[in-house]
Structures are given as structure tokens and as C-alpha cells.
């Protein structure tokens, strides 16, 4: 089943794909909905696909995405060399497994986990933070279920407390695994989860409170330290043991380098697990995430599967089985290549570029910045004295320059706000920032000074069938001054049509 469709009506109506330069080798168009009968030369297959991909956006100008779009050629080479390795074949590819374990240890240490006596962190590589969140959520649910069963209490209504600003993967987890999602509503000027309100929503069925280190909407860090302190008091008063999970998908590789004194990780006793995206500020191409647990006791053993059909015992805790090795190798390359010093330089440069963009937008007098100084390197902003739809028009206008800048409405309670957001990644240098500001100013000027619009006239006609059309078919002729339409239809209906007028003359009736 195809779940998404981005084709135009004309493309949908055609069941064939025409080639351009590849037509030198292939004369017949290729079928769109079935596999071709015959093989074609490799050069032709490449050219056909290459031509179509030209219509995709430029990844470097995609300012909507947190995902890394540039890596060093040496790392690209390592990824290509590792593409054919299936990561789950641990016994066949022991070095790849070792590299993953080293990454887990390094991330656990970065997040201040107390490593076990064997110096091993507890965690696993995933295809992204979405899978990591699913695994962390399952661990919380299983621990809560076991505890409730042992106490002889009902265990049919688990819930998670989050802010309304959470990423959609949390809604997926709740729906897929039958967990109620209790969301703390946002408020004017405060666009992240309020720890006080979150703790008030916690009850005996709460399997965890999820805090976000780097909100998708504004990049802001939630106050995990305050949440930990307030929740500790409530746990002590009620006898509950409600834990915290930190969704650090965006901020996990930012905070340790920009704000090393900020307490948000395993330094806080109630934080039991953390997820982070290696393919965001971990500086790896899309397809790698990580989830780390405080200790082995926080990951129920019953969730771990032990497989031995390929050789030695292979413990696995993932939602999928087969997985490429390239991103894991790339993550280890970045850790080895960059070190703490390198990551700090890259993230600091990203933040400086974000500040330059913010200053440029503020100097126009057209925008209000809603992102905070402490957060991930992005700039979220609204427009002053403009309609709610104007940011969408600006977003569309910037596409003419190649920029992809998302515009979106905020969640409940602040849905009247329309926000534009620019994510600053490593590949967005100062020159691109200055060019973006220039294009934004130009686009706003053009939108503000665009003509009021082409005047329109609207008319409604009642269409009646007739037997005079000929050949026994029902149809008729509709006469309008200065023009006419010949029509044919099966059922009588009332038709409404808008006609554009230019120079006091009708441009066309249909």
C-alpha cells in the first residue's frame, strides 16, 4: 500500500515514465506501476533516476531538517566499504559490533553514566531517535507492569507525561503500545513543558515523564533539573518511583559541549534513560540513533533476545533485525576524528551562525525571535503585524531561491502563532547566513508590494441536459456573451466557476 503521493495529476494519469538523455539508448517509455519486462543498460538506469532526483530539494539549503548533510570524504569512503555488512551478524562482523560498543561507552560517559565494573555502558544503536524512544518506552512500561503485578494492582492504564511540544514519535509510541499520552499544554511565551504542571499530572499509572532537550518547535531545552527535584518530592510523598526519560535527539550532542555545567543527564538520579540522534548534531548521515540506560537494572532482561543461529550468542534489543553497518562505522569515525575538541568547535560555530542569523532578522524590524539563547543552534521566529498566513507565503517565496524554510502553527493554547524555523547545521557557513537574510528581506518586500491581485468575477449557471447533442448522447451548448462552451455530461448538475478578468476581458471560461 502506497501511503504517500506527491505526484501531480498529470503524472498520476500517466502509467509510463519518459526518459530524457537516456532516450539515446531506450526509445520506449518505462512502466510506472509494474516492473519492466526487459533489462536496460546500467548507464540508462542511472541517468533516468539521476534526472528525476534533480527535482529534489538541495539538502544543504534544507533548513527544515536537523539531519547531517555533509561528512568528510574519508568517512564517506568508510561508509561505502561497510554497506554490504549486515550489523546483526555480530559473530561474522565482530569488529563492527565492537565499534558499536565503543560508541555506547563513549556516549554513556558523555552523559555521566556510572559505568559498570566491566566498564561497559548499557545501550544500543538504532536507526534513529524514534526507534530509541520506542525501546526506552517499552523498558519503562515493562518495569511498571512488573511492579504493579507484584503489588497486585491494576496494570491496564499506563500513561506517559510529556509536553505538547513533543515530536510525533512519542504519539506513535503511545498509540502502538497502548499507553496514554498526557500532554502539558503550552502557554503564551512558554513553549516547552512546564515541570510544575507535568508533576501535577503524574499519577500511580505514570510509567515515566519525558523531558525534551531541544524542542523541535523552538530548540529550547526543558528544565530537567527542576523536573527531577519536583518529581523526587512527589515520589517521596506518594511512595511512587516515577522515573524520567530525556529525549535528547537534538540536544544530546549540543549541551555537553556548549553547556557542560547544565545538569540534565544521568547526574540527576531520576533520569533512567536518554536517547540521542547520531544523525543530527552527532554529525552522521541519516540512519543512526542511540539509547542509553543508567544501569542494567533499568533495562528488563525479558526484553532482550538471545540469538545463536549465526554462531555465538547474540543479545539483541531492537524493533527491527537486519540493519546496515555504515552509520555505526561513521559514528565511531566522528568520535575518533573529532574528539571533544572537534565537537565543541563545530557546535560553537553552529551557534555563532545562529546568532548571526538572529541578529540579521532582528535588524529588519519585521520579526520576533521566540527561540532561546540556551538550546540547539536554530532560530525560530514569528512575523510582526502580519496575517497568520503570511509566514506560509514567505516560506513558499523562499523556495524560489532554493531555501527550504518550514512554516507551521504551534500546538494547542498557542495555535494562533505561525512560526518559521531555521536549523543551523555544520554546512551552513556565515556566507550562507548572510545570503539567507538578504533573500528573506527581498521576499518580504516583494510580498508586501505585490499587486492586490487579479480581479475576478464569479457566476453560477444551471446546466440542463438535452437530446439535441447528437449520436444519442445527452449534452448541450452553453452560450455566454462573447464566448461559448460546448459541453457533454452524464448527469445534470449545478456548476460554479470563477473566471479571471484581465484588461476588462475574460481570460477564459474554462
Amino acid at each position: 500500500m502506497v501511503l504517500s503521493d506527491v505526484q501531480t495529476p498529470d503524472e498520476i494519469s500517466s502509467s509510463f515514465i519518459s526518459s530524457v538523455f537516456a532516450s539515446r539508448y531506450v526509445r520506449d517509455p518505462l512502466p510506472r506501476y509494474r516492473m519492466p519486462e526487459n533489462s536496460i543498460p546500467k548507464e540508462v538506469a542511472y541517468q533516468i533516476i539521476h534526472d528525476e532526483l534533480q527535482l529534489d530539494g538541495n539538502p544543504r539549503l534544507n533548513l527544515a531538517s536537523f539531519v547531517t548533510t555533509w561528512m568528510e570524504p574519508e568517512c564517506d569512503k568508510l561508509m561505502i566499504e561497510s554497506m554490504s555488512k549486515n550489523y546483526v551478524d555480530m559473530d561474522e562482523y565482530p569488529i563492527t559490533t565492537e565499534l558499536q560498543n565503543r560508541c555506547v561507552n563513549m556516549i554513556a560517559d558523555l552523559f555521566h553514566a556510572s559505568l559498570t565494573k566491566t566498564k561497559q555502558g548499557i545501550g544500543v544503536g538504532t536507526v534513529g531517535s524514534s526507534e530509541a524512544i520506542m525501546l526506552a518506552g517499552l523498558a519503562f512500561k515493562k518495569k511498571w507492569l512488573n511492579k504493579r503485578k507484584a503489588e497486585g494492582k491494576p496494570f491496564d492504564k499506563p500513561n506517559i507525561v510529556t509536553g505538547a511540544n513533543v515530536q510525533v514519535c512519542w504519539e506513535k509510541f503511545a498509540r502502538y503500545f497502548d499507553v496514554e499520552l498526557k500532554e502539558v499544554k503550552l502557554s503564551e511565551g512558554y513553549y516547552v513543558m512546564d515541570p510544575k504542571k507535568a508533576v501535577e499530572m503524574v499519577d500511580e499509572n505514570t510509567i515515566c515523564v519525558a523531558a525534551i532537550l531541544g524542542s523541535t518547535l523552538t530548540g529550547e531545552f526543558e528544565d530537567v533539573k527542576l523536573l527531577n527535584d519536583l518529581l523526587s518530592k512527589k515520589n517521596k510523598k506518594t511512595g511512587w518511583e516515577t522515573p524520567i526519560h530525556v529525549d535528547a535527539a537534538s540536544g544530546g550532542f549540543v549541551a555537553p559541549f556548549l553547556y557542560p555545567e547544565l545538569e540534565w543527564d544521568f547526574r540527576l538520579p531520576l533520569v533512567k534513560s536518554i536517547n540521542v540522534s547520531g544523525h543530527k548534531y552527532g554529525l552522521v548521515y541519516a540512519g543512526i540513533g542511540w539509547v542509553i540506560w543508567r544501569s542494567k537494572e533499568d533495562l528488563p532482561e525479558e526484553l532482550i533476545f538471545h540469538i545463536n543461529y549465526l554462531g555465538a550468542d547474540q543479545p539483541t534489543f531492537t524493533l527491527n533485525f537486519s540493519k546496515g553497518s555504515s552509520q555505526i562505522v561513521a559514528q565511531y569515525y566522528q568520535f575518533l576524528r573529532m574528539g571533544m575538541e572537534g565537537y565543541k568547535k563545530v557546535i560553537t560555530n553552529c551557534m555563532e551562525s545562529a546568532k548571526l542569523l538572529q541578529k540579521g532578522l532582528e535588524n529588519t524590524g519585521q520579526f520576533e525571535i521566540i527561540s532561546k539563547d540556551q538550546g540547539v543552534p536554530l532560530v525560530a521566529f514569528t512575523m510582526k503585524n502580519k496575517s497568520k498566513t503570511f509566514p506560509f507565503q514567505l516560506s513558499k517565496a523562499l523556495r524560489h531561491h532554493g531555501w527550504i524554510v518550514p512554516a507551521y502553527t504551534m500546538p494547542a493554547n498557542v495555535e494562533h502563532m505561525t512560526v518559521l524555523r531555521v536549523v543551523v547545521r555544520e554546512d551552513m557557513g556565515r556566507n550562507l547566513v548572510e545570503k539567507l537574510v538578504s533573500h528573506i528581506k527581498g521576499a518580504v518586500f516583494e510580498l508586501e508590494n505585490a499587486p492586490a491581485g487579479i480581479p475576478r468575477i464569479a457566476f453560477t449557471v444551471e446546466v440542463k441536459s438535452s437530446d439535441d447533442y447528437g449520436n444519442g448522447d445527452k449534452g448541450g451548448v452553453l452560450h455566454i456573451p462573447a464566448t461559448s462552451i460546448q459541453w457533454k455530461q452524464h448527469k445534470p448538475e449545478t456548476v460554479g466557476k470563477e473566471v479571471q478578468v484581465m484588461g476588462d476581458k475574460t481570460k477564459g471560461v474554462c
Side-chain angles (χ1 to χ4, degrees):
M1 178 181 180
V2 178
L3 297 179
S4 61
D5 194 345
V6 294
Q7 295 173 311
T8 65
D10 289 340
E11 290 173 325
I12 294 173
S13 65
S14 173
S15 59
F16 295 93
I17 302 172
S18 61
S19 57
V20 184
F21 303 110
S23 61
R24 296 186 178 190
Y25 306 96
V26 178
R27 292 186 177 182
D28 297 327
L30 302 175
R32 187 190 298 273
Y33 301 110
R34 61 181 177 82
M35 190 177 295
E37 293 294 334
N38 302 313
S39 302
I40 61 176
K42 62 181 183 296
E43 298 87 356
V44 178
Y46 168 82
Q47 191 67 55
I48 290 173
I49 298 172
H50 175 80
D51 290 346
E52 282 204 89
L53 289 175
Q54 292 297 307
L55 299 177
D56 268 348
N58 184 339
R60 288 197 63 181
L61 301 184
N62 180 7
L63 309 182
S65 177
F66 291 86
V67 175
T68 297
T69 54
W70 178 86
M71 297 184 73
E72 293 173 326
E74 290 79 7
C75 192
D76 290 345
K77 184 178 179 181
L78 280 173
M79 293 185 72
I80 293 173
E81 293 172 356
S82 304
M83 275 185 180
S84 61
K85 296 180 181 178
N86 188 354
Y87 169 73
V88 299
D89 298 344
M90 299 179 186
D91 194 49
E92 282 71 14
Y93 308 122
I95 302 304
T96 301
T97 302
E98 171 63 19
L99 296 188
Q100 188 221 223
N101 293 341
R102 292 178 191 175
C103 289
V104 167
N105 290 335
M106 292 177 182
I107 298 171
D109 179 70
L110 187 67
F111 295 166
H112 297 93
S114 298
L115 301 185
T116 61
K117 294 180 180 179
T118 58
K119 303 298 182 183
Q120 292 292 321
I122 308 300
V124 65
T126 62
V127 294
S129 275
S130 292
E131 184 188 6
I133 284 169
M134 302 286 174
L135 298 178
L138 284 173
F140 282 120
K141 183 179 179 181
K142 179 58 68 174
K143 282 189 64 93
W144 177 84
L145 281 172
N146 292 342
K147 185 173 183 293
R148 297 287 288 183
K149 288 179 181 179
E151 295 173 347
K153 296 179 180 179
F155 50 87
D156 59 333
K157 295 182 179 180
N159 68 68
I160 288 179
V161 175
T162 69
N165 55 312
V166 292
Q167 214 265 358
V168 69
C169 60
W170 283 98
E171 298 179 25
K172 285 186 176 182
F173 169 78
R175 187 180 303 178
Y176 292 171
F177 296 103
D178 295 321
V179 177
E180 179 189 2
L181 196 65
K182 299 170 67 174
E183 295 185 349
V184 178
K185 302 299 182 183
L186 308 186
S187 58
E188 193 73 40
Y190 196 86
Y191 307 119
V192 292
M193 180 180 69
D194 185 335
K196 295 180 181 179
K197 294 180 180 178
V199 173
E200 290 173 0
M201 296 177 69
V202 170
D203 58 33
E204 62 180 353
N205 293 317
T206 302
I207 64 175
C208 79
V209 180
I212 305 178
L213 196 78
S215 171
T216 301
L217 300 178
T218 64
E220 185 177 352
F221 292 166
E222 293 183 344
D223 194 339
V224 188
K225 175 67 166 59
L226 178 58
L227 176 64
N228 178 87
D229 295 344
L230 295 175
L231 191 54
S232 294
K233 293 179 181 179
K234 186 161 188 173
N235 283 345
K236 185 176 181 180
K237 181 179 179 181
T238 60
W240 303 334
E241 298 176 354
T242 308
I244 295 173
H245 174 85
V246 179
D247 179 355
S250 302
F253 286 123
V254 173
F257 306 107
L258 289 186
Y259 319 106
E261 302 304 318
L262 181 67
E263 294 185 33
W264 62 272
D265 51 19
F266 293 121
R267 285 171 288 184
L268 303 176
L270 290 184
V271 174
K272 302 299 182 181
S273 56
I274 300 171
N275 69 275
V276 63
S277 291
H279 58 222
K280 293 183 179 176
Y281 289 104
L283 308 181
V284 177
Y285 292 142
I288 185 68
W290 304 91
V291 57
I292 309 294
W293 284 272
R294 171 183 288 274
S295 66
K296 190 174 182 180
E297 290 71 30
D298 296 305
L299 176 57
E301 176 64 29
E302 61 218 88
L303 293 178
I304 301 174
F305 288 82
H306 294 269
I307 314 255
N308 62 10
Y309 77 90
L310 290 174
D313 177 67
Q314 301 176 24
T316 175
F317 179 37
T318 56
L319 294 182
N320 65 312
F321 194 61
S322 293
K323 180 173 63 177
S325 298
S326 297
Q327 274 74 11
I328 290 174
V329 172
Q331 186 73 85
Y332 183 67
Y333 170 90
Q334 291 290 48
F335 288 168
L336 191 65
R337 164 80 172 91
M338 305 291 289
M340 297 289 289
E341 176 191 23
Y343 269 95
K344 183 174 182 179
K345 286 182 178 179
V346 168
I347 303 303
T348 300
N349 285 338
C350 289
M351 187 58 75
E352 290 300 318
S353 294
K355 291 178 179 178
L356 181 65
L357 173 60
Q358 177 177 329
K359 183 177 180 181
L361 293 174
E362 289 176 331
N363 288 342
T364 68
Q366 297 269 16
F367 304 100
E368 178 184 352
I369 308 299
I370 65 170
S371 48
K372 306 300 181 182
D373 291 337
Q374 188 177 78
V376 298
L378 68 76
V379 181
F381 53 99
T382 60
M383 304 202 66
K384 297 178 180 179
N385 306 317
K386 292 291 188 296
S387 68
K388 188 176 180 179
T389 60
F390 194 91
F392 294 103
Q393 295 173 324
L394 176 57
S395 175
K396 184 176 181 180
L398 290 173
R399 289 297 294 264
H400 295 304
H401 296 285
W403 301 106
I404 302 175
V405 178
Y408 49 87
T409 54
M410 294 288 274
N413 282 16
V414 287
E415 63 270 17
H416 62 280
M417 293 180 59
T418 305
V419 175
L420 292 145
R421 188 197 68 199
V422 172
V423 177
V424 179
R425 301 184 303 269
E426 181 184 9
D427 57 358
M428 189 176 183
R430 308 293 174 83
N431 58 329
L432 284 181
V433 170
E434 293 171 354
K435 186 63 67 175
L436 174 62
V437 173
S438 174
H439 286 162
I440 289 176
K441 290 193 292 186
V444 171
F445 178 81
E446 291 178 2
L447 290 171
E448 289 180 332
N449 294 276
I454 300 173
R456 296 172 179 267
I457 60 173
F459 60 89
T460 302
V461 295
E462 184 177 346
V463 179
K464 297 181 179 180
S465 61
S466 170
D467 292 328
D468 299 331
Y469 189 79
N471 299 323
D473 294 329
K474 290 195 173 186
V477 178
L478 171 65
H479 292 280
I480 299 176
T483 187
S484 65
I485 299 175
Q486 192 174 44
W487 57 274
K488 174 183 175 181
Q489 64 183 43
H490 297 288
K491 295 181 180 180
E493 62 177 324
T494 298
V495 179
K497 183 70 177 180
E498 285 190 347
V499 181
Q500 289 186 327
V501 177
M502 304 186 76
D504 297 326
K505 295 182 180 180
T506 58
K507 181 180 179 182
V509 180
C510 62

